[in-house]
Amino acid sequence: MHRPQRTRHRKSRSLAVVAVLLASAALVGCSGEDGPEQSVDAFLSGWRSGDLNAVGFVDPTGAKVAAADVAREIKELSGELAETPPTLTRQGKPEVQQNTATATIRVQWALPGDTTWTYDRPVRLTQGRDDAWQVIWEPQLVQEQLTSGDRLGLRRDRAPRAGVLDAAGEPLIAPRPVVRVGVQPSEVTDIKALTRELDTAFRAIRPAITPPIDVSGLAKRVEEAEPTAFVEVVTLRDEAYRQIKPRIHELPGTKFSTDELDLAPTREFARAVLGTVDPAQADDLAKFPDRYSPVTWWGTAGCRATGTSGCAAHRG
């Protein structure tokens, strides 16, 4: 009498366990399809393509942010790198805590000169009322130091040049103060008059600078520059600048910044042997487009010529 009942009870329990397992499997499957990793992957794909419509966004306060606005801001933040979007990869699975998640992404920018800039960034997500995972948008997702209105830019840093020593072992080439003479377009009142005044002042420097400083294209450069830009005219040794400072310092639109460059004791000192380090010119840029940029300084002539064996080879 009792055995059939016990048998039926065991079957019921077995069916219940199977039902629970099936239900659990169904829940896991659903979670895997709509988990935060899918939102992260869609974000990375949209970042590269510029189309983020498949991703939901909120700001750190929880307010919704339009996908088109995020795409626009990413492009603006990318600045000079916008035309070459980075390679983006998710590093492992996101860490989930209740209705929030954090994923790590790797950002790899391809820079000029076969250089790669690589770093990791955290992506935070939150689960909305519809259970969809939304990316919490903030400019620091692109790079940790960025805020709204910032732009990424490219700059070449000149590598230190090797020393050029005299017979006693003392350096002939050493860091010496210079002054960069420039113009801010928004403060120029009469560009023709300014050009004349600068040309006259530069020609008054003694010993004379050869070849003479050419300011013939200054008006066009000022016209094409941003109003608040620093349009550099020339870099002078400090002693040369002091000769003409009273004549140019108060001219409307002139701006000045100080720096140090590796220079010989004077401009004429053993110039034929030591050579000079000067900004790359138009013909240099045309001949070596992959090596130089408009801000590259390179060794010219003498033993400081770029690539000269046994001397101070310059790397841009």
Side-chain angles (χ1 to χ4, degrees):
M1 291 289 295
H2 298 290
R3 291 180 64 186
Q5 291 178 351
R6 286 197 293 270
T7 301
R8 286 196 298 272
H9 182 65
R10 284 199 297 272
K11 287 182 178 179
S12 299
R13 290 179 59 191
S14 298
L15 289 172
V17 170
V18 171
V20 170
L21 290 175
L22 289 173
S24 298
L27 288 173
V28 171
C30 179
S31 176
E33 292 175 0
D34 302 321
E37 58 267 30
Q38 277 69 39
S39 293
V40 174
D41 292 344
F43 169 59
L44 300 186
S45 177
W47 180 344
R48 281 192 60 83
S49 69
D51 182 358
L52 289 165
N53 290 321
V55 187
F57 293 96
V58 295
D59 67 17
T61 69
K64 288 187 177 297
V65 181
D69 291 341
V70 174
R72 174 186 51 76
E73 190 166 9
I74 287 178
K75 185 172 183 178
E76 291 176 353
L77 291 166
S78 299
E80 294 180 39
L81 305 181
E83 298 305 316
T84 55
T87 298
L88 303 159
T89 52
R90 173 166 51 86
Q91 305 296 294
K93 293 186 176 181
E95 295 183 3
V96 181
Q97 293 184 346
Q98 296 182 347
N99 64 339
T100 63
T102 302
T104 299
I105 63 171
R106 180 153 295 169
V107 183
Q108 293 178 296
W109 298 92
L111 304 181
D114 296 325
T115 302
T116 301
W117 180 26
T118 303
Y119 53 87
D120 292 345
R121 295 300 302 140
V123 177
R124 297 186 297 144
L125 303 98
T126 183
Q127 195 171 27
R129 294 180 180 178
D130 57 357
D131 290 336
W133 287 93
Q134 300 170 316
V135 173
I136 300 175
W137 165 249
E138 48 193 343
Q140 290 79 9
L141 280 180
V142 176
Q143 203 277 334
E144 64 178 340
Q145 294 180 321
L146 292 177
T147 59
S148 293
D150 289 344
R151 304 287 187 274
L152 291 176
L154 291 171
R155 185 187 70 186
R156 287 177 180 261
D157 287 334
R158 292 181 294 112
R161 297 181 64 89
V164 180
L165 309 179
D166 63 16
E170 295 298 321
L172 293 175
I173 308 298
R176 304 183 195 278
V178 296
V179 177
R180 301 186 187 277
V181 181
V183 173
Q184 183 173 316
S186 63
E187 296 187 12
V188 175
T189 56
D190 186 339
I191 187 59
K192 291 184 178 180
L194 176 61
T195 301
R196 288 196 301 269
E197 293 285 352
L198 290 175
D199 183 59
T200 301
F202 294 151
R203 292 179 183 277
I205 295 174
R206 293 292 179 269
I209 295 178
T210 54
I213 299 168
D214 184 6
V215 294
S216 60
L218 180 59
K220 186 173 186 296
R221 292 173 57 210
V222 169
E223 180 182 356
E224 295 175 348
E226 294 292 329
T228 58
F230 180 85
V231 180
E232 186 166 338
V233 179
V234 68
T235 299
L236 298 174
R237 289 172 179 263
D238 184 66
E239 56 269 25
Y241 166 71
R242 291 185 180 281
Q243 290 184 39
I244 62 172
K245 178 180 177 180
R247 303 177 64 164
I248 67 174
H249 194 271
E250 301 303 325
L251 294 176
T254 53
K255 297 292 179 182
F256 309 90
S257 66
T258 58
D259 198 356
E260 282 191 342
L261 292 178
D262 291 334
L263 300 171
T266 67
R267 184 175 178 83
E268 297 74 25
F269 182 87
R271 185 172 182 176
V273 177
L274 296 178
T276 60
V277 180
D278 300 303
Q281 302 300 311
D283 55 341
D284 305 320
L285 302 178
K287 189 175 181 180
F288 303 106
D290 297 332
R291 185 184 304 177
Y292 304 129
S293 76
V295 296
T296 301
W297 285 66
W298 70 306
T300 57
C303 78
R304 290 208 290 170
T306 299
T308 301
S309 176
C311 295
H314 174 74
R315 294 183 298 168

